[in-house]
Amino acid sequence: FEGEDMALRALRAAEKIRDTLDRVYGGTPGTVAVGIGVNTGEMIAGNMGSGERMDRTVIGDAVNLGARLCSIAGRNTIVLSDRTRGLAGDRIETREHDAIRVKGKSEPVKIHT
């Protein structure tokens, strides 16, 4: 997501994905579920690949932290970084958690769900 309100739009999209899966599968054990991590920061975006297969991708430290948040997110849970939480402002309700240690970061990272 880019531009104005990018963090809020990303979080709304995450909620829509989570809620749609919950509605379709009803939280039945063993069905499809998702854990979503959302972080905001600078990254490099572009097309990578060859003429036979081209993909749009993003790389950078902000992307890596988002992936780490995704890996700790529980079933149908959205985990967001403190920066993303701050950018979304009072337009969303979250619960703050203890800071966690993640690979690639020397300092603990504050998270919210």
Side-chain angles (χ1 to χ4, degrees):
F1 294 82
E2 298 177 84
E4 193 174 326
D5 288 334
M6 65 184 161
L8 182 62
R9 289 185 291 114
L11 293 169
R12 294 289 185 235
E15 287 177 324
K16 188 172 183 177
I17 292 166
R18 180 201 59 204
D19 295 348
T20 299
L21 286 175
D22 188 50
R23 186 179 70 252
V24 170
Y25 294 101
T28 305
T31 59
V32 176
V34 65
I36 300 172
V38 182
N39 184 41
T40 307
E42 291 186 20
M43 61 193 71
I44 297 171
N47 296 322
M48 297 185 79
S50 67
E52 294 178 18
R53 179 169 182 201
M54 185 70 66
D55 287 316
R56 178 103 173 135
T57 193
V58 290
I59 57 174
D61 186 57
V63 177
N64 294 341
L65 179 55
R68 303 281 186 257
L69 298 179
C70 187
S71 71
I72 66 158
R75 186 177 177 87
N76 291 333
T77 301
I78 302 167
V79 178
L80 52 149
S81 68
D82 198 48
R83 180 165 186 205
T84 299
R85 173 67 187 97
L87 289 170
D90 61 0
R91 298 172 288 181
I92 61 167
E93 290 184 32
T94 62
R95 185 166 62 121
E96 186 175 337
H97 297 270
D98 291 335
I100 60 166
R101 292 208 166 270
V102 295
K103 181 179 175 182
K105 293 288 186 187
S106 59
E107 295 296 320
V109 175
K110 190 186 291 187
I111 61 168
H112 306 262
T113 55

